[in-house]
């Protein structure tokens, strides 16, 4: 059975994984009959946001523990996952990608990526296995590949600053509507804007479902 890794970054759009994007991805994979390997780094979140008031809370949370909420407990520490465990990899978006998996939200194009995330994504890419990146995740992936000699076509939709950052990292940003995907066949990378543009969950779902279908076709 095909095994697809899904990397989560917490639980909640403002400080973790975008829940709609994560669940839509998981539903599309389940409907395709594949085996999911859900994972997250075992690290502290940058901070905790009250999603009702959107204000910062005076507490700390763990990315793996919070991600387990979305995974219903069936999740692995990604430091213990190997490339041979999966046939493809998908990163849902959410600010957790830019705050926990990387520090893009604070450092912009000069950001760094969590070592476990960088190692795993780089190994999967070098192994020639397909990767899907959703919402803000493409900018992190551009950073992962920076300096590797791979010019990858990616999209986050139409945001000027983020697309400029992707280009400055050595990848090639392609403008894309919310319901569509950008496919880099040579590098086996698929991206879609999702909530970088979506105003409704159905809009995010349309692009994510296309991304999952294309990633699976590349396996």
């Amino acid at each position: 059975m095909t095994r697809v890794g899904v990397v989560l970054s917490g639980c909640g759009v403002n400080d973790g994984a975008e829940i709609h994007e994560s669940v839509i991805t998981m539903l599309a994979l389940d409907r395709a009959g594949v085996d999911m390997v859900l994972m997250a780094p075992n690290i502290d979140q940058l901070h905790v946001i009250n999603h009702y008031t959107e204000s910062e809370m005076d507490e700390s949370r763990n990315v793996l523990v919070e991600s387990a909420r979305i995974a219903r407990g069936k999740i692995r520490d990604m430091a213990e996952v190997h490339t041979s465990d999966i046939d493809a990899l998908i990163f849902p978006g959410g600010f957790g990608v830019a705050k926990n998996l990387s520090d893009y939200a604070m450092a912009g194009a000069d950001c760094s990526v969590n070592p476990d995330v960088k190692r795993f994504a780089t190994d999967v890419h070098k192994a020639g296995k397909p990767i899907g990146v959703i919402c803000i995740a493409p900018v992190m992936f551009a950073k992962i590949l920076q300096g590797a000699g791979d010019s990858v076509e990616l999209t986050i939709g139409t945001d000027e600053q983020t697309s400029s950052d992707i280009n400055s990292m050595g990848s090639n940003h392609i403008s894309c509507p919310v319901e569509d995907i950008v496919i880099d066949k040579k590098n086996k990378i698929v991206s879609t804007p999702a909530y970088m543009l979506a105003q409704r969950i159905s809009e995010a779902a349309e692009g994510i479902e296309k991304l999952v279908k294309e990633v699976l076709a590349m396996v």
Side-chain angles (χ1 to χ4, degrees):
M1 180 180 287
T2 299
R3 297 167 298 174
V4 179
V6 179
V7 182
L8 301 178
S9 57
C11 182
V13 59
N14 292 321
D15 58 10
E18 213 298 319
I19 296 172
H20 294 175
E21 293 174 359
S22 302
V23 173
I24 292 165
T25 298
M26 293 162 62
L27 178 60
L29 290 169
D30 184 62
R31 282 178 168 163
V34 306
D35 187 19
M36 282 175 278
V37 180
L38 303 176
M39 67 187 86
N42 187 6
I43 58 175
D44 288 336
Q45 292 184 187
L46 171 70
H47 58 195
V48 179
I49 300 295
N50 180 323
H51 280 65
Y52 181 61
T53 64
E54 297 189 349
S55 59
E56 187 171 346
M57 301 173 67
D58 185 20
E59 62 178 86
S60 62
R61 296 187 186 181
N62 177 279
V63 172
L64 178 60
V65 172
E66 290 302 295
S67 298
R69 293 175 180 271
I70 298 174
R72 293 174 61 89
K74 190 178 180 181
I75 194 165
R76 296 172 64 182
D77 180 344
M78 72 179 305
E80 301 172 356
V81 184
H82 304 285
T83 306
S84 58
D85 294 334
I86 62 169
D87 301 300
L89 186 64
I90 297 178
F91 288 88
F95 270 111
V97 172
K99 293 178 177 179
N100 302 327
L101 305 189
S102 73
D103 60 359
Y104 177 73
M106 292 71 71
D110 294 324
C111 66
S112 59
V113 179
N114 171 272
D116 286 331
V117 175
K118 185 174 182 178
R119 168 196 60 81
F120 193 71
T122 300
D123 289 349
V124 171
H125 177 61
K126 286 182 176 178
K129 298 181 179 184
I131 297 175
V133 277
I134 298 167
C135 190
I136 193 63
V139 74
M140 180 186 72
F141 202 74
K143 187 65 180 185
I144 289 171
L145 295 182
Q146 187 177 24
D150 296 325
S151 180
V152 180
E153 292 189 343
L154 297 164
T155 191
I156 47 77
T158 57
D159 182 75
E160 290 186 9
Q161 183 60 59
T162 313
S163 60
S164 175
D165 288 341
I166 287 175
N167 291 334
S168 72
M169 293 177 193
S171 291
N172 181 23
H173 182 267
I174 308 295
S175 293
C176 178
V178 63
E179 72 278 3
D180 212 346
I181 58 177
V182 167
I183 306 167
D184 186 320
K185 289 187 179 295
K186 177 185 175 183
N187 290 289
K188 293 186 177 180
I189 308 295
V190 188
S191 50
T192 191
Y195 275 108
M196 289 295 289
L197 288 177
Q199 299 298 310
R200 303 171 62 182
I201 189 171
S202 57
E203 292 179 348
E206 189 170 354
I208 292 170
E209 288 165 357
K210 288 179 181 177
L211 177 142
V212 169
K213 183 177 180 180
E214 185 62 32
V215 166
L216 294 178
M218 289 180 172
V219 172

